[in-house]
Amino acid sequence: MLPSFLLAAVALIPGAFTAPSGFFPQLGELLHGKDSNAVQTRQFGGYFWSSWSEGGGTFRCQNGAGGQYSVTWQSSGGSSGFVCGKGWSPGGNRAVNYNGTYDPKGPSYLAVYGWTRNPLIEYYIMDAHGDLLPNEPWTAKGNFTSEEGTYQVYTSTRVNKPSIIGTTTFQQYWSIRTEQRVGGTITTGRHYDEWAKLGMRLGGHDYMIVATEGYTSGSTTSNGTSSITLS
């Protein structure tokens, strides 16, 4: 639903980087408006960190050591929300193992979240969520079951919204687990294959993270806590 922007990756020691106030203002203004901010870094240890937010509210995303991160959030009225998490750049076919805690109230997702280019696709493989209140209508495409669970599949379209290449129109792909969980394995290639059977084509993989997202939908705000570790 929300992210991101073009930013050269920065190599660093885990936990050793804190962006000073105003360090990336031109990037946030370019792709998300003057009230947004974003940070993306590549760390030793093989994990990629991404944190993006817009509008009012309080979003405290903490980049922990190794594959760990945590977040506490409270969105506000209007265009308000965040996405943050750890993963890989580029993304692609991978058995994603994670565990942790996730306690949302209001609109929120816990998902493997990523982008592809040519075509430009934003995708979610969602294991848990708060209120499902997307800002665009979803089209049901089907469902599938594997040893990792049963997932319902949807598509949606964002029109003139922020993306990894700037403000444009693009499709979103969704796999939503019917029985929620926090922790386990998500084999991303299995979802890519099932999407392909439904005519949902992906492009070349950009970044992919295990993300926590919270946002305001209409008059419904979001708050909660999340602490996730990749292994």
Side-chain angles (χ1 to χ4, degrees):
M1 166 200 145
L2 290 174
S4 193
F5 61 100
L6 297 172
L7 176 63
V10 180
L12 72 158
I13 298 171
F17 179 85
T18 301
S21 177
F23 189 69
F24 300 123
Q26 72 280 12
L27 293 170
E29 290 172 9
L30 175 64
L31 297 181
H32 299 291
K34 65 182 181 180
D35 294 326
S36 72
N37 62 82
V39 174
Q40 289 184 317
T41 61
R42 184 172 285 113
Q43 295 180 264
F44 295 120
Y47 292 110
F48 178 84
W49 166 251
S50 178
S51 176
W52 178 90
S53 65
E54 70 170 350
T58 302
F59 311 114
R60 295 189 175 94
C61 293
Q62 300 293 325
N63 180 1
Q68 194 274 338
Y69 76 90
S70 62
V71 56
T72 301
W73 78 91
Q74 172 66 67
S75 71
S76 63
S79 182
S80 172
F82 80 97
V83 182
C84 68
K86 276 188 171 175
W88 303 269
S89 181
N93 186 2
R94 176 183 291 269
V96 177
N97 299 297
Y98 79 98
N99 62 80
T101 60
Y102 170 67
D103 183 20
K105 296 178 178 61
S108 177
Y109 309 139
L110 176 66
V112 171
Y113 167 81
W115 288 87
T116 73
R117 299 170 182 257
N118 299 316
L120 181 67
I121 302 293
E122 180 184 36
Y123 67 84
Y124 293 80
I125 303 171
M126 191 184 307
D127 263 7
H129 55 81
D131 296 342
L132 286 176
L133 295 174
N135 287 323
E136 288 80 24
W138 287 355
T139 299
K141 303 293 286 186
N143 62 76
F144 68 93
T145 299
S146 74
E147 67 275 14
E148 296 175 4
T150 297
Y151 289 82
Q152 296 174 320
V153 179
Y154 300 87
T155 60
S156 55
T157 302
R158 302 212 81 199
V159 178
N160 295 327
K161 297 297 183 181
S163 80
I164 57 172
I165 64 169
T167 299
T168 189
T169 297
F170 54 91
Q171 276 201 300
Q172 297 174 305
Y173 296 170
W174 306 82
S175 286
I176 302 177
R177 200 173 195 273
T178 56
E179 294 186 7
Q180 297 191 54
R181 65 175 181 176
V182 180
T185 300
I186 297 174
T187 303
T188 58
R190 180 169 288 117
H191 293 263
Y192 303 157
D193 291 344
E194 294 294 336
W195 294 345
K197 294 176 185 177
L198 297 169
M200 299 162 59
R201 187 169 65 92
L202 293 170
H205 287 276
D206 203 273
Y207 75 88
M208 176 180 80
I209 60 176
V210 178
T212 302
E213 175 172 341
Y215 61 98
T216 294
S217 180
S219 61
T220 304
T221 59
S222 172
N223 67 87
T225 62
S226 179
S227 179
I228 300 298
T229 300
L230 308 186
S231 58

